[in-house]
Amino acid sequence: MNHPRLALDSVIHSPIRFSITAALAAVDEADFKSVRDAVEISDSVLSKQISTLEAAGYVAVRKVFVGKRPRTYLSLTPSGRKAWDAHVRALRQIAG
């Protein structure tokens, strides 16, 4: 038998990355500031965690200029959404 905990994704499992992924799972795309405020973390913490999620292929980062101001948009990639769904499914199985 395999316990459902074995299906948990170690990248997503961190509480901050879990919160970021949850926020992005609810939308097609979100701007950096909205995610930062939703998760209640600093810019630097969000940047570091986004780098980890991006390196895993779970988050796409899109940078644009609005007027003269840079804007960063974040979204889950298809593999990120698949990993999120599998992680949540494993949590639900563990919770019973």
Side-chain angles (χ1 to χ4, degrees):
M1 256 203 261
N2 289 328
H3 193 277
R5 77 176 176 281
L6 300 174
L8 292 173
D9 188 298
S10 62
V11 174
I12 295 174
H13 197 64
S14 157
I16 292 174
R17 289 191 298 269
F18 181 86
S19 299
I20 293 166
T21 310
L24 293 175
V27 297
D28 290 331
E29 184 176 67
D31 67 275
F32 186 93
K33 182 181 174 186
S34 296
V35 175
R36 180 201 65 201
D37 293 348
V39 180
E40 299 178 355
I41 55 178
S42 68
D43 287 356
S44 62
V45 171
L46 180 55
S47 290
K48 182 175 187 230
Q49 299 306 320
I50 288 300
S51 292
T52 300
L53 290 164
E54 187 178 25
Y58 292 172
V59 170
V61 178
R62 183 173 67 91
K63 295 181 181 265
V64 298
F65 278 89
V66 177
K68 293 184 178 183
R69 296 184 181 267
R71 295 279 165 92
T72 301
Y73 293 93
L74 309 169
S75 61
L76 286 181
T77 63
S79 63
R81 197 162 293 279
K82 183 178 177 182
W84 166 254
D85 290 341
H87 189 81
V88 170
R89 195 168 36 257
L91 288 171
R92 286 188 175 129
Q93 287 175 338
I94 292 168

